[in-house]
Amino acid sequence: MKRAIPVVVLSIAGLVPIWRYEPSIGGTTTTTEAASTPSASSTSGSSSSSGTVVKGSTLNTEKGPVQVQVTFDGEKITAVKMLQQPNHPQTTAAVPKLIAETLEAQSADIDTVSGATITSEAYKESLQAAIDDNAKAAAASPSPSASASTASAAQTVDGSAVNTEKGTVQVQVTFEGETISAVKMLQQPNHPQTTAAVPKLIAQTLEAQSADIDTVSGATITSDGYKESLQAAIDAKG
């Protein structure tokens, strides 16, 4: 009987490794690490120190997608930027004209640019969507600062008439407070390159809010005359 006890003990000890390393039935256990995903913003506009930025709808045309981004100061359109546009020479030429017309008209009720009808129509639709979104946001939470800014009286100043070898160049500038809100050509050379350059010069001016803008290629003389007349108007405003 004394000999039987060690045999039983050894038998039990021999089973211990089998119990410890017996594989689990039914598969392996996996650990899932939760991924951190930033939530997408559902708002179409955001406020910044330079105004409220609103993205217009994206229009898919046969030439390519068109989408604008508009910056507002209250209800006033202060800048327009193309987020998407067809890669086409006629579109490239049309966009500065569309932007210049928008800043002058302060609406989407602008002319279609000849030769870029499809892009023009999509631009206007995307622009109108941005204007509508801004109006809804303003109605939901009217801003006291916006009404204060519109209360300031507009001031119109004529720049000097600059005589160039192409013809006379003179601008008229409208200020709202310290902001250049509009630029109008009083005199300009009757030349195709000037006609094409003027909308680009005006668009640059409204964005830069100064005469420190680029010369338009192919219209250097008109550009320099424009900037000189513009600076004179800014200086006269004081």
Side-chain angles (χ1 to χ4, degrees), residues 12 14 24 26 36 41-42 44 65 89 96 99 104 116 124 128 157 161 180 201 217 222:
I12 295 172
S24 61
S36 170
S41 173
S42 60
S44 59
I99 292 175
E104 185 173 353
K124 290 191 283 183
Q128 187 62 57
V157 181
I180 299 174
L201 292 167
S217 178
T222 296

Side-chain angles (χ1 to χ4, degrees), residues 41-122:
S41 173
S42 60
T43 57
S44 59
S46 60
S47 296
S48 67
S49 59
S50 58
T52 301
V53 178
V54 182
K55 293 179 181 179
S57 54
T58 301
L59 281 303
N60 292 314
T61 75
E62 62 186 73
K63 299 293 186 181
V66 175
Q67 184 184 26
V68 304
Q69 176 178 284
V70 187
T71 303
F72 297 89
D73 181 4
E75 294 183 1
K76 179 181 175 58
I77 300 172
T78 58
V80 180
K81 178 182 178 182
M82 296 299 293
L83 296 181
Q84 298 184 75
Q85 68 182 66
N87 184 15
H88 194 277
Q90 288 175 311
T91 294
T92 304
V95 165
K97 298 178 183 179
L98 292 167
I99 292 175
E101 284 190 53
T102 301
L103 294 168
E104 185 173 353
Q106 288 295 302
S107 74
D109 185 16
I110 58 176
D111 294 333
T112 296
V113 176
S114 178
T117 303
I118 293 173
T119 296
S120 297
E121 294 299 335

